[in-house]
């Protein structure tokens, strides 16, 4: 038989849990749009850095690719590159990357959008000494040097380095196939 004294802690705990869940749901509702807006601003800034001559871009929701243009018209002759988001599993969690292509064979560069890697080690993936290695490199060469590629891993952060390399190459190959299908190349 349940005593009245046994029910009170259960009720209090239930109320606290319900209040916490409601508070978290409301906080998510309030912050979700702001987070999405901040991500769009971050992507726009990264696109501007990767493509200094960019005048506009169009996002294709079907294949999740940004096509960037230089000039007043968004016509094929004015395409200066393509961009897309990629993500890999690093040591500390997911690493979100913006990858830009100069053409359908060459990486233009990368920007690390978000990561949770270890400060001082894996977090060095945002440093230009690492990201600059991805400039003007053939997609097929996006591998660590130890795997016959062109990218040097960060000393002490091989997992983070490998996560970026694998994510960039895998997603680039997938997006190139989608782009080729889209324009029937």
């Amino acid at each position: 038989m349940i005593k009245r004294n046994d029910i009170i802690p259960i009720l209090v705990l239930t109320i606290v849990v319900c209040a916490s869940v409601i508070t978290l749901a409301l906080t998510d509702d309030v912050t979700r749009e702001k987070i999405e807006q901040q991500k769009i601003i971050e992507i726009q800034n990264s696109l501007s850095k990767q493509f200094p001559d960019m005048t506009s871009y169009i996002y294709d929701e079907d294949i999740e690719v940004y096509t960037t243009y230089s000039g007043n018209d968004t016509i094929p002759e004015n395409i200066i590159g393509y961009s897309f988001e990629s993500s890999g599993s690093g040591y500390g969690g997911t690493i979100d990357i913006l990858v830009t292509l100069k053409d359908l064979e060459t990486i233009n560069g990368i920007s690390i959008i978000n990561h949770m890697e270890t400060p001082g080690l894996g977090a060095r993936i945002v440093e230009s000494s690492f990201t600059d290695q991805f400039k003007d490199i053939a997609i097929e060469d996006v591998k660590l040097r130890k795997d016959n590629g062109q990218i040097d891993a960060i000393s002490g952060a091989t997992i983070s380095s490998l996560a970026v390399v694998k994510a960039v190459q895998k997603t680039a190959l997938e997006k190139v196939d989608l782009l080729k299908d889209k324009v029937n190349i």
Side-chain angles (χ1 to χ4, degrees):
M1 181 180 230
I2 299 177
K3 295 180 183 174
R4 188 175 210 188
N5 289 342
D6 292 340
I7 293 176
I8 293 175
I10 294 170
L11 286 175
V12 170
L13 185 59
T14 302
I15 291 169
V16 168
V17 168
C18 288
S20 298
V21 168
I22 290 169
T23 303
L24 284 173
L26 290 174
T27 302
D28 181 61
D29 245 12
V30 169
T31 60
R32 182 180 309 243
E33 187 176 318
K34 290 179 181 180
I35 291 170
E36 283 300 316
Q37 288 173 346
Q38 189 60 37
K39 186 176 180 182
I40 290 169
I41 291 169
E42 180 78 26
I43 288 172
Q44 288 172 339
N45 289 339
S46 294
L47 287 174
S48 294
K49 287 178 189 172
Q50 295 290 331
F51 297 110
D53 297 337
M54 178 185 81
T55 55
S56 62
Y57 67 88
I58 294 175
Y59 181 68
D60 186 331
E61 290 183 23
D62 294 337
I63 59 174
E64 298 177 331
V65 171
Y66 298 88
T67 302
T68 53
Y69 298 88
S70 178
N72 294 331
D73 297 321
T74 54
I75 57 175
E77 291 79 25
N78 290 344
I79 293 174
I80 56 173
Y82 305 95
S83 304
F84 47 86
E85 293 179 64
S86 178
S87 63
S89 295
Y91 183 77
T94 302
I95 301 170
D96 296 320
I97 310 156
L98 181 72
V99 181
T100 59
L101 300 178
K102 184 179 288 186
D103 52 43
L104 298 181
E105 298 171 355
T106 312
I107 303 284
N108 186 61
I110 67 166
S111 299
I112 306 299
I113 298 171
N114 188 33
H115 72 88
M116 297 185 68
E117 299 304 280
T118 307
L121 289 172
R124 292 181 49 213
I125 58 174
V126 301
E127 294 177 4
S128 61
S129 58
F130 181 70
T131 59
D132 285 353
Q133 296 180 85
F134 292 85
K135 288 184 178 178
D136 299 321
I137 184 173
I139 295 170
E140 63 191 35
D141 291 333
V142 178
K143 297 181 229 162
L144 293 179
R145 261 192 222 284
K146 70 178 188 73
D147 298 325
N148 297 319
Q150 298 295 315
I151 308 296
D152 290 319
I154 297 169
S155 181
T158 307
I159 294 172
S160 304
S161 303
L162 186 59
V164 172
V165 167
K166 283 184 172 183
V168 168
Q169 187 183 55
K170 179 180 182 282
T171 310
L173 292 171
E174 290 170 359
K175 296 301 182 182
V176 165
D177 285 343
L178 292 171
L179 285 164
K180 286 179 179 178
D181 288 346
K182 190 108 179 156
V183 294
N184 297 319
I185 294 177

